[in-house]
Amino acid sequence: MGMALLEVRNARLYYATTKGIVKAVDNVSFELNEGETLAVVGESGSGKSTLAKLLVRVWERNVTLVDGEVYLDGKEILHIPEEEFRKEIRWKKIAMVPQASMNALNPVIKIGDQMIEPLLLQGTNKDEALKMAMDALESVGLPRDLVNRYPHQLSGGMKQRVIIAMSIMAHPKVVILDEPTSALDVITQANIMNLLKKLKWEYKLSYIFVTHDLALASELADSIAIMYAGKMVEIGGAEDIYGNPSHPYTQA
Amino acid sequence: MARKQREFRILGMTPSEIVREFFSSGTGKVAAALFIVLIVVSVYALVTLPPNFARVWNNPKYWQLNPQYAPPAWIDSIMGPVYSPQIYVNDYTFTVQHQDGVTYITVTFNVNYEYDKPWNEIFIVINNPAIYSMSQPPVVSITIYRPDGSKITLGPLPINTRVTTLGVSPEVVSQVNLFYSEEYHISDVVPTGSSATPYLFYTVDDGKLVPLKGPYRFTMVFYVFSQNSSVINRKDLEIVLQGQIYGLMGTDNEGHDLWLGLLAGFPIDLAVGLLSALIIVVIAVIIGIVAGFYSGLIDEALMRLTDFVILLPAFPLLIVFSVLFGWSIWDAVIFLAIVSWGASARIIRAMIMQIRNAQYIESAVIAGASRMWILRNHILPQIIPFILYLLVTNVPGAILTLSSINFLGLAGSDTQHGVHYSTTPMSLAH
Amino acid sequence: MGLARTLAVRAATLVVLLFIVLFVISFALAGPASKILKDEIMMETKSIIRQLMLHGHYNSTQIQQLQTQIVTELENAYGLNKPPAIRTLYIMYNMIVFNWGYAYFPSEYGNVGGGKVVDIILSALPGTILLDTFGILLSAFIGIEIGLRSALKYGSKSDRAVMYYAALSNGIPQWWLGIVMLLVFSFYLAQIHSPIYFPTGGIISPRYYELWLTDPIKVFAIPQAALDLLWHLILPLVTVLIINIGGWAYFARTVVLNISQEDFVTFAKIKGLPEGHVVNRYILRPAAPSILTSVFITIPFIIFGGFLVTEMVFHWWGLGYVYNIAIVQSPTPDLPVVVALTYASTLLYIVIIFIMEIVYIMLDPRLRE
């Protein structure tokens, strides 16, 4: 039928700062099909992380303008009520592995409790939820008894895996990976990339992979979008972009 | 680089940067505003009050002309003319005549009485010590022409002290009683022990005493029997009508002008606050910098000390020492300051640790920068705003703490705010 | 093991602190302040002699003998005949075993149990607990709640109003507000014959005074007495609340604003958790340890800087009022009471701190090992 899983049309998000309006996302449009991975590549400040935040509708206080349309399965989700978005879309359909996942875990709550929180709120019973959390941990290559640990007892790579495990527990359609490996050493980075590939096949996930590293992006992506100064300057198949860049930024 | 050097900088920051940094916070604004008010009022107080005000405050003679427990003067402007105000009579006529070796000095003045509650007392003040020890002192006789055409004659009264209180003289009391019994056939209007002065301003209506409003004319004739006729002269003579309301804040049981007392408290408060804040900040900065800069044993030892100081129950110790050693307010300030630097030192240390671990410090160290250089160029500029903040916020804090101490009855000082707040409203409440 | 060691170190620090405070007080008493003690012994002796002269028939030589005897006995009892070092230890020992001597309190203050200092302090403790503990907890609870709401509505009008209130309440002395409250709600209301007015002070009406001093628990069993206590409590409690809520609100707002910028709060929102849940589990829960730290750094200031003086303003029979009566006692301060109160409040303070340390460790898993 050819309808995209996620379709973004003319998305705009502006911030007000002391130095004036910053057009962090400026007229961005793209499509993402089921099971596909789109890498959004750009230097820092290009608006790629803001684009990720726009899709999960979690942004800073100083936003002055949010505009455009975002369709998920053909349904507009950018302008539906906040509560509806939170209950129906966030995490259940669009999950996100945030940029600073080192600090994304609550330091005073056990890993397991943090993992099962969304499930408990949906009414799943606690033992069942815990079992699901352990399964998820196992599928990202972590021991099951990690549920009883606190975040400070884990290494950076382990925390990243925990967050990835959390994101797949909800069986979302789209997972946004915001620089998922930027704070990790090279070996852990490679392990995480392999894990992401494995999960993609296993759970038929669609990724939006936000990174500044074009080489890393081409490893996972089916198509690549280049962002520069809030605009999507180039979008195309991974091979095309990597082999035959057209925008000056991509060439550099 | 060279262009930057030409700017005036305090420890790497331009003054405007320091000011902007500080005023951007809400607490900073409030603290700074309080601080400025404190400084302005203190300067005003130092300029307007006599330099030996503490002694003046404790000298009851200085305040004896003032009413006791009087409410502030501005209540008349709210309630209408009810209470007579304090009046220092200035525009009197002063004529001198000599006859048969006796000098007659005639002083006349008018007052307009339009209140419900008359003046408490009339004082005749002669600021000439020569009068206090004369073998035959001058005498005064007073005639009062009342608005209803009647007149009361009082005296003669001897003038042999600095202040002659008109209404309490038994002679005057009997003369006023006589006036009422002749005019209105009422005997003994003046209750025993009371001053007769207020009854100069009453009349009788339907058997009851009511205020007689209108212009009053006073004529005082002084008889000087000595050759030295200038013992009473215009320069040394003061006539005061003691009111029922006084000043901006009223008076206490000794007639102290509470506004002046409050004013005199400001410079002391400021000095107390500044001294305390300075001690706290200096100790905190030294300990914080040393601990933050030298890791290891020194840091560990200093942090143990800081923990200890933070935990020390300063207030009970202060109470016990004040009681045992009879501490003054200054001892209390210094003691409190010496045991209050803990929390600030800890914050400064944390700030320095954070700065020290930053990338640019590492590169500076690699480039061969000395510790002092790093301290001066990277660390001090970053903690200066905090030090300023500490200084300004500690001043009101110290003042509040000291007013509490004062209120508890410790470390007494005469013109400190705690005393004033404590005596005025409580005396009203009981 | 690590946890036990941490706790042991903290406990040891606190015990050392208590001993140092005790030593300093005892040393001051034994050395420089022994003259005051001697004066007090003379006074005590004179009052005993006066009693004896009233009730017995003694001639002047007998009186003289008795006086010397009593002075010597009392000096021995206080250890004044020993060298200062021994005396210091002796005083310390007496302090530790709660042998705090006798007070010179005038009987109008309800001299329970023959004026033993321990009894006076014990009788004042319930009042302090009722006003101070309850006041601190209630103001912290309300203040943190207000601060939290204020932070969630950052920049709004109500937020700014809360901040101005906090700054203002920070600048007003608690006792001053107490006096104003008395003036308005007790004095003026009674003057205009308002049907509702508040007492001018005191902890409870005189007819329940005896009961409160001897058995405060029973007061709560009698409805009228409990109501009477409440009637006396309202003004001081409201004073305490008005002054302290602002500080708590300001503090809680700052903590919440800081923590809501943490990544885990954003992530909790991305996870689709409802706002109430985010606030409770991802903002307040992680903030609890730092709120507690602040509590135990500021609690001595709150208690000694404000509450003790407030008790005095309202003639509230608590430790602060007892402190005040003892300090302004003429001709010399009531030394045994002042010293014992200082030791008792230090002891109380150290126990509170230690409890808080334990709670702190329980709240923050990072400290548990």
Side-chain angles (χ1 to χ4, degrees):
Chain A
M1 114 189 136
M3 195 174 69
L5 170 68
L6 185 78
E7 189 182 348
V8 177
R9 267 192 228 151
N10 305 328
R12 289 191 293 170
L13 194 152
Y14 295 176
Y15 285 119
T17 68
T18 46
K19 285 167 189 139
I21 300 283
V22 172
K23 299 177 176 181
V25 174
D26 198 13
N27 245 340
V28 166
S29 304
F30 65 88
E31 287 180 11
L32 179 72
N33 291 317
E34 195 150 1
E36 194 189 59
T37 298
L38 170 72
V40 179
V41 186
E43 57 193 4
S44 54
S46 63
K48 57 188 192 313
S49 282
T50 312
L51 177 63
K53 283 179 186 155
L54 174 88
L55 294 176
V56 289
R57 291 178 56 173
V58 172
W59 43 67
E60 322 288 324
R61 281 197 205 99
N62 53 343
V63 161
T64 53
L65 175 86
V66 178
D67 196 24
E69 287 128 42
V70 176
Y71 294 94
L72 183 74
D73 280 337
K75 184 181 185 308
E76 211 288 317
I77 55 165
L78 191 60
H79 299 290
I80 58 171
E82 167 65 22
E83 195 57 18
E84 187 188 339
F85 182 83
R86 181 182 74 71
K87 277 192 176 152
E88 305 295 332
I89 311 293
R90 206 177 268 158
W91 208 248
K92 276 189 204 145
K93 296 207 170 128
I94 305 179
M96 180 169 161
V97 175
Q99 189 168 16
S101 46
M102 287 297 170
N103 305 317
L105 294 171
N106 189 333
V108 295
I109 301 180
K110 283 180 187 166
I111 301 287
D113 291 337
Q114 293 192 57
M115 292 180 77
I116 63 175
E117 253 176 343
L119 294 176
L120 292 188
L121 287 167
Q122 286 161 31
T124 317
N125 121 333
K126 186 166 182 188
D127 293 334
E128 202 179 307
L130 262 180
K131 206 190 143 285
M132 286 167 76
M134 289 187 206
D135 291 345
L137 283 174
E138 209 166 52
S139 68
V140 297
L142 289 173
R144 296 177 76 90
D145 65 353
L146 216 62
V147 289
N148 289 322
R149 300 276 195 85
Y150 284 99
H152 70 277
Q153 297 166 314
L154 273 58
S155 71
M158 286 163 98
K159 282 187 205 164
Q160 191 64 292
R161 281 166 191 261
V162 166
I163 297 201
I164 293 169
M166 286 167 102
S167 68
I168 57 167
M169 267 172 78
H171 302 296
K173 300 205 158 155
V174 182
V175 177
I176 300 164
L177 305 159
D178 189 2
E179 304 263 12
T181 58
S182 61
L184 304 172
D185 61 87
V186 185
I187 299 189
T188 321
Q189 197 172 337
N191 285 337
I192 298 277
M193 288 307 287
N194 287 335
L195 170 69
L196 289 172
K197 278 181 208 162
K198 189 191 97 171
L199 293 173
K200 182 183 169 180
W201 292 116
E202 228 166 273
Y203 293 93
K204 306 247 177 327
L205 295 171
S206 303
Y207 286 145
I208 293 178
F209 182 48
V210 176
T211 181
H212 62 275
D213 188 340
L214 194 56
L216 202 66
S218 61
E219 211 179 299
L220 194 67
D222 303 311
S223 51
I224 294 181
I226 309 290
M227 276 194 86
Y228 183 77
K231 291 190 161 65
M232 216 165 241
V233 291
E234 195 171 356
I235 183 161
E239 286 80 15
D240 297 342
I241 300 259
Y242 201 55
N244 184 23
S246 65
H247 190 264
Y249 170 71
T250 329
Q251 289 168 346
Chain B
M1 237 6 222
R3 192 173 51 83
K4 258 188 178 174
Q5 290 293 317
R6 244 179 283 137
E7 271 178 279
F8 173 68
R9 276 166 183 259
I10 304 167
L11 296 155
M13 283 181 96
T14 61
S16 65
E17 272 172 340
I18 296 175
V19 170
R20 206 180 322 127
E21 190 80 27
F22 184 72
F23 279 99
S24 58
S25 73
T27 328
K29 273 179 214 153
V30 172
L34 236 164
F35 195 67
I36 289 166
V37 167
L38 206 56
I39 290 175
V40 169
V41 179
S42 297
V43 169
Y44 175 76
L46 285 177
V47 170
T48 52
L49 293 178
N52 57 344
F53 188 74
R55 203 142 18 98
V56 171
W57 184 264
N58 286 327
N59 176 10
K61 280 196 178 153
Y62 188 90
W63 310 99
Q64 78 188 104
L65 304 183
N66 288 356
Q68 281 101 46
Y69 289 131
W74 44 261
I75 64 164
D76 257 11
S77 53
I78 296 171
M79 301 170 64
V82 174
Y83 297 101
S84 308
Q86 184 94 350
I87 289 181
Y88 300 89
V89 181
N90 288 322
D91 51 345
Y92 51 78
T93 62
F94 188 93
T95 52
V96 186
Q97 278 176 297
H98 301 279
Q99 203 179 344
D100 305 332
V102 177
T103 311
Y104 302 89
I105 299 163
T106 313
V107 172
T108 54
F109 61 89
N110 297 311
V111 290
N112 197 20
Y113 173 65
E114 50 185 357
Y115 313 95
D116 295 339
K117 315 259 175 171
W119 287 280
N120 284 331
E121 195 49 88
I122 294 171
F123 296 109
I124 298 163
V125 185
I126 310 286
N127 289 314
N128 185 355
I131 216 158
Y132 311 156
S133 51
M134 286 172 85
S135 55
Q136 198 181 8
V139 294
V140 63
S141 97
I142 302 153
T143 313
I144 300 145
Y145 301 95
R146 291 159 35 106
D148 61 355
S150 62
K151 71 172 186 180
I152 306 178
T153 305
L154 306 173
L157 300 172
I159 306 281
N160 53 6
T161 56
R162 192 178 87 90
V163 177
T164 306
T165 311
L166 194 68
V168 295
S169 141
E171 199 174 349
V172 170
V173 172
S174 63
Q175 281 163 335
V176 170
N177 277 335
L178 187 67
F179 170 80
Y180 273 87
S181 63
E182 281 177 356
E183 290 271 321
Y184 308 110
H185 313 291
I186 301 177
S187 53
D188 297 330
V189 257
V190 183
T192 29
S194 298
S195 163
T197 308
Y199 298 90
L200 300 175
F201 305 97
Y202 281 126
T203 185
V204 173
D205 182 26
D206 204 9
K208 272 187 286 186
L209 285 174
V210 286
L212 176 64
K213 299 183 185 182
Y216 284 71
R217 181 174 181 79
F218 282 73
T219 305
M220 298 183 171
V221 182
F222 294 88
Y223 305 84
V224 183
F225 306 105
S226 133
Q227 294 302 313
N228 181 8
S229 63
S230 65
V231 285
I232 294 176
N233 54 53
R234 202 181 178 114
K235 179 166 64 71
D236 290 331
L237 175 69
E238 266 183 80
I239 297 162
V240 180
L241 274 63
Q242 187 189 66
Q244 301 221 358
I245 47 180
Y246 191 88
L248 272 175
M249 287 184 60
T251 59
D252 65 2
N253 58 332
E254 287 182 74
H256 289 143
D257 183 346
L258 291 178
W259 166 245
L260 291 185
L262 182 73
L263 214 54
F266 271 90
I268 298 176
D269 278 349
L270 184 67
V272 159
L274 274 181
L275 178 68
S276 153
L278 262 179
I279 295 175
I280 291 177
V281 171
V282 166
I283 300 180
V285 167
I286 291 175
I287 300 267
I289 286 180
V290 172
F293 221 63
Y294 300 88
S295 43
L297 209 62
I298 299 177
D299 178 35
E300 178 71 23
L302 285 178
M303 278 305 102
R304 282 278 142 269
L305 180 70
T306 308
D307 275 352
F308 192 79
V309 168
I310 289 175
L311 286 176
L312 204 68
F315 221 94
L317 280 180
L318 173 73
I319 293 176
V320 117
F321 289 147
S322 301
V323 168
L324 286 183
F325 307 128
W327 274 2
S328 75
I329 200 99
W330 301 104
D331 299 321
V333 177
I334 292 168
F335 175 80
L336 270 187
I338 285 176
V339 296
S340 309
W341 50 267
S344 315
R346 207 185 241 180
I347 297 171
I348 290 177
R349 172 182 170 270
M351 288 173 85
I352 288 171
M353 298 277 265
Q354 202 182 13
I355 300 166
R356 208 187 54 178
N357 294 332
Q359 203 83 52
Y360 55 86
I361 301 281
E362 260 175 54
S363 12
V365 172
I366 293 166
S370 73
R371 282 192 165 172
M372 282 316 285
W373 190 88
I374 292 170
L375 185 70
R376 210 172 45 238
N377 287 283
H378 286 297
I379 292 180
L380 281 182
Q382 294 193 53
I383 61 170
I384 285 287
F386 181 70
I387 292 176
L388 277 181
Y389 166 80
L390 274 185
L391 256 179
V392 174
T393 47
N394 265 310
V395 170
I399 293 170
L400 285 190
T401 314
L402 281 167
S403 69
S404 294
I405 297 170
N406 223 312
F407 193 74
L408 258 180
L410 292 166
S413 160
D414 300 307
T415 44
Q416 232 278 326
H417 281 159
V419 175
H420 291 305
Y421 292 141
S422 66
T423 50
T424 356
M426 279 307 268
S427 54
L428 284 172
H430 289 302
Chain C
M1 196 217 97
L3 178 61
R5 195 178 157 273
T6 316
L7 272 182
V9 168
R10 297 306 291 174
T13 314
L14 290 173
V15 169
V16 169
L17 181 76
L18 180 66
F19 262 88
I20 289 181
V21 170
L22 187 58
F23 177 78
V24 169
I25 299 171
S26 306
F27 183 74
L29 262 181
S34 53
K35 203 194 151 296
I36 303 183
L37 206 60
K38 277 187 180 147
D39 289 347
E40 296 207 339
I41 286 175
M42 281 313 289
M43 268 173 41
E44 204 176 329
T45 314
K46 274 183 191 141
S47 79
I48 295 173
I49 294 291
R50 215 174 300 127
Q51 286 296 314
L52 285 175
M53 277 169 34
L54 277 177
H55 299 294
H57 304 282
Y58 298 98
N59 61 37
S60 59
T61 28
Q62 278 174 311
I63 291 285
Q64 198 62 45
Q65 265 178 336
L66 267 172
Q67 186 164 345
T68 334
Q69 195 187 338
I70 292 170
V71 167
T72 329
E73 261 176 35
L74 281 175
E75 281 193 352
N76 288 354
Y78 284 109
L80 275 176
N81 52 346
K82 307 246 170 45
I86 302 286
R87 220 183 305 152
T88 308
L89 291 177
Y90 183 77
I91 297 170
M92 281 175 80
Y93 169 77
N94 272 331
M95 283 283 150
I96 293 170
V97 299
F98 294 94
N99 181 14
W100 292 344
Y102 293 86
Y104 315 122
F105 261 46
S107 54
E108 65 202 82
Y109 295 112
N111 225 346
V112 276
K116 263 176 108 175
V117 175
V118 179
D119 294 332
I120 288 181
I121 290 178
L122 278 181
S123 79
L125 209 52
T128 290
I129 290 172
L130 189 64
L131 179 62
D132 297 17
T133 315
F134 186 59
I136 289 176
L137 291 181
L138 195 62
S139 57
F141 180 77
I142 300 174
I144 289 170
E145 195 66 21
I146 290 177
L148 173 70
R149 274 159 211 281
S150 192
L152 294 179
K153 286 184 189 164
Y154 177 81
S156 69
K157 258 187 193 151
S158 62
D159 177 45
R160 261 177 294 160
V162 167
M163 283 307 96
Y164 282 117
Y165 157 63
L168 191 70
S169 71
N170 195 34
I172 297 177
Q174 202 161 302
W175 48 263
W176 184 82
L177 182 69
I179 291 169
V180 172
M181 297 287 279
L182 270 183
L183 209 58
V184 174
F185 293 104
S186 172
F187 182 67
Y188 288 159
L189 280 190
Q191 279 243 310
I192 62 165
H193 305 289
S194 152
I196 302 166
Y197 66 96
F198 292 94
T200 51
I203 194 167
I204 202 163
S205 292
R207 66 201 134 116
Y208 301 116
Y209 210 71
E210 195 70 37
L211 187 65
W212 174 258
L213 288 178
T214 48
D215 196 355
I217 307 283
K218 263 195 194 142
V219 167
F220 294 98
I222 308 167
Q224 286 102 325
L227 273 178
D228 187 72
L229 186 67
L230 187 68
W231 183 55
H232 283 79
L233 178 65
I234 285 173
L235 277 193
L237 189 66
V238 168
T239 305
V240 158
L241 289 183
I242 289 177
I243 292 294
N244 288 284
I245 285 175
W248 288 112
Y250 182 81
F251 171 68
R253 178 181 175 272
T254 314
V255 170
V256 169
L257 281 182
N258 280 339
I259 291 200
S260 35
Q261 282 166 5
E262 292 277 351
D263 296 322
F264 56 79
V265 178
T266 316
F267 186 53
K269 284 181 201 154
I270 294 174
K271 280 201 306 191
L273 300 177
E275 187 174 0
H277 193 87
V278 173
V279 167
N280 283 326
R281 300 263 294 171
Y282 285 81
I283 294 179
L284 284 189
R285 179 62 189 78
S290 52
I291 290 179
L292 254 172
T293 320
S294 158
V295 170
F296 68 69
I297 287 182
T298 51
I299 228 167
F301 294 99
I302 295 177
I303 292 181
F304 291 106
F307 281 74
L308 292 193
V309 189
T310 308
E311 283 181 7
M312 199 190 115
V313 171
F314 288 99
H315 292 200
W316 182 265
W317 189 252
L319 296 181
Y321 187 33
V322 172
Y323 240 137
N324 174 247
I325 296 171
I327 289 168
V328 299
Q329 199 61 234
S330 65
T332 60
D334 199 335
L335 214 51
V337 175
V338 173
V339 170
L341 264 176
T342 303
Y343 174 66
S345 46
T346 309
L347 189 67
L348 201 67
Y349 165 69
I350 275 168
V351 169
I352 292 173
I353 294 276
F354 190 62
I355 293 172
M356 282 198 198
E357 298 259 1
I358 293 172
V359 176
Y360 185 67
I361 288 171
M362 275 164 48
L363 283 177
D364 196 336
R366 284 165 290 188
L367 292 171
R368 255 174 250 165
E369 49 209 65

